[in-house]
Amino acid sequence: MNIRLILWATMLACSVTLEAKVTMPQLFQNGMVLQRGKAIPVWGKADAGEAVTVTLNKKKVATVADTDGRWRVDLPQMKAGGPFELKVNDLSIDDVFIGDVWLLSGQSNIDVTIERVYPNYTDEIDDFSLDKVRLFRVQNDTDTHGVKDDIRPTSINWKPLTKQNAWLFSAVGSFLGKRMFEKTGVAQGIIVNSWGGTPIEAWISADSLRRDYPMLVKRVEFFQNDNYVKAQAQANGEASRRWNEMLNKEDNVQSYAQPDFQDNDWTVIDQNNWNWRGTGSVWLRQHITIDKAHAGKPARLLLGTLYDQDVTYLNGKQIGQTGYQYPPRRYDIPEGLLQEGDNVIAIRFINKNGAVHFIPEKPYMLCFGDDRLSQNPMPKDVIPLSPSWKFHLGAEMPPCPGGDVSLQNLPTTLYNAVLHPLAPYAVSGVVWYQGESNVGNPAPYADYLRKMMGCWRDLWQEPQMPFVIVQLANYDGRQQTGFPRPITPQTEPANSGWAQLREAQRTVAKADPYAELAVLNDLGETVDIHPLRKKEAAERIGLCFDRLVYKNNKVKLSPEVVSVTISGTHIQLTLDQPIQESDLYTFEVAGDDKIFHNVNAISKGNVITLLNFAITPRVIRYAWKDNPLQANVRSLGGLPMSSFELTIK
């Protein structure tokens, strides 16, 4: 009996050993792109002491898993090519290309999807079909305790660039991959690792913050109590469910949405001069007459961008809903729903904080025809909506209690969970597109950015890892809750958190020989923190990589000031390149009193001359505004100059 048990145990141990398999990180999947021209790290886990052999493109490297079961090999650098098979013992990963890999990180302007920008580039996106551009989306995750070994499984895992695959993928990432493939002809891997609304501190390691910012580290340590986090999340969820339950019980949804509801006694409001500051729900209704030619036709309703939540009905049928303020409201109307004569659009606004309002300068219309999905150019057959709506209170509610834990906004949590596990996957360069969430306190941003770049480079053990810092686009910071009406351009000197943060981005990039700045201060939108011109943004990022990675010094980036000369009542700024000649705007000068004054400026060749100021200049500023619409210094190729603040010594 004992002998049989021993034999059975021995056989079982042998079978377990034979069945033991290596495991690979989530990045290593069919369709992956590996970086050309660098050693290629491959790593994973196995049983302690297990022999591991890695083979790719006729190159073979062997190792043994350590006592913790971890192993890593570095394949020799290779030229672009593929598809190949990557073999790790008996594990096979197919359709592997060698090319260029780009890591894109930051907040919501990286997140903005192809679906969101589609109306601007309908023809190009319809034709997306590039097998050698592969898309990978890191799944959002957080960790307050420390670094993780791997990321979570994701649904976009090295998918080829097609309209369908890219629809919910980063627009900047998609256009960058397409652009770089067309420039190089080699496979492109785009890894997007971003989270809307997150501050830069979330992307920095605890070790990098601990010495200079100990309170930031203590903030995240407070949330290392999992029971507290779970209880808080459950309480917030219950509060939200209860609030919505009470709202829906009191609100007259079934009646107010119906086309035959009598709204004659409702108040008439003008959407361009209206807001409601309560919490709960309000209803707006608009009657619109449809002629015989348009009756029954499919259409698209454009409702601009609304604050905050909405549920929208047409003739009593729900045609769309959006849960928060930023996405454009583009609601498709099916064939047969629009009738000849009177039709009713009803909007149910739901608000938990701030002021309900329409966002100005956005399109509000019905679009017909085959081009109704396009907004660049706008469709030919449209019926504008009236700015007048009938208004009625639905259900007024007390503020919803509680608050979101939002672990993703705490220091270190994203570095721990979604950044650290990616290393040492070889990449060609990093795109950092973030800053909106730090505008409220821009003073430490330059230091944060240096620390972030430093800890990422340390993690990859690449002190020369290239970074393209995408500068914040122009946006009117006054377009926040409570400022729903159109705002005139800023013309007078003023403090600007947006300009301060742009200056931090500029100075960090300028001081770092392995970083470049992509200037976007002409690609933004006054009323939208998520501008839609992402193809143009990707092109400027690509130009930076042309110089930074491919060493193409013929590429001209945004103009920069290289020297300052004062002569009497004139200041001459010498630039690194010639610019378009014209009268120039948004230049300011301050003296010892630090009070800034607008000054006239002209350009000729690569020199800008500031004219006729009556003070001894100490500081010069350019485009120092949230939304510098009048700033017009441009290279001969059309690239804008960054805002700046220069102290004259």
Side-chain angles (χ1 to χ4, degrees), residues 438-449:
N438 289 88
V439 164
N441 181 27
Y445 192 84
D447 192 39
Y448 288 161
L449 184 53

Side-chain angles (χ1 to χ4, degrees), residues 255-305:
S255 296
Y256 295 158
Q258 298 307 312
D260 57 356
F261 177 81
Q262 296 301 308
D263 54 21
N264 296 331
D265 60 344
W266 284 21
T267 303
V268 177
I269 61 96
D270 180 346
Q271 72 177 49
N272 296 317
N273 191 24
W274 170 82
N275 69 78
W276 180 72
R277 285 191 167 274
T279 55
S281 67
V282 293
W283 286 82
L284 298 180
R285 287 167 57 94
Q286 179 169 152
H287 294 256
I288 186 168
T289 301
I290 298 297
D291 59 24
K292 185 176 182 179
H294 292 97
K297 298 289 180 65
R300 170 166 278 199
L301 174 63
L302 302 183
L303 280 176
T305 305

Side-chain angles (χ1 to χ4, degrees), residues 338-354:
L338 282 169
Q339 59 192 23
E340 184 176 359
D342 185 55
N343 295 259
V344 176
I345 300 168
I347 305 175
R348 184 195 189 206
F349 280 98
I350 300 172
N351 190 48
K352 292 185 177 181
N353 61 79

Side-chain angles (χ1 to χ4, degrees), residues 56-72:
L56 175 69
N57 190 21
K58 301 179 182 179
K59 304 293 191 299
K60 182 183 293 187
V61 182
T63 190
V64 175
D66 66 17
T67 54
D68 293 324
R70 301 175 185 272
W71 59 268
R72 170 181 168 175

Side-chain angles (χ1 to χ4, degrees), residues 3 29 46 166 205 336 385 459 526 606 635:
I3 293 174
Q29 299 190 42
S205 69
L385 300 184
L459 178 62
T526 297
N606 67 330
S635 70

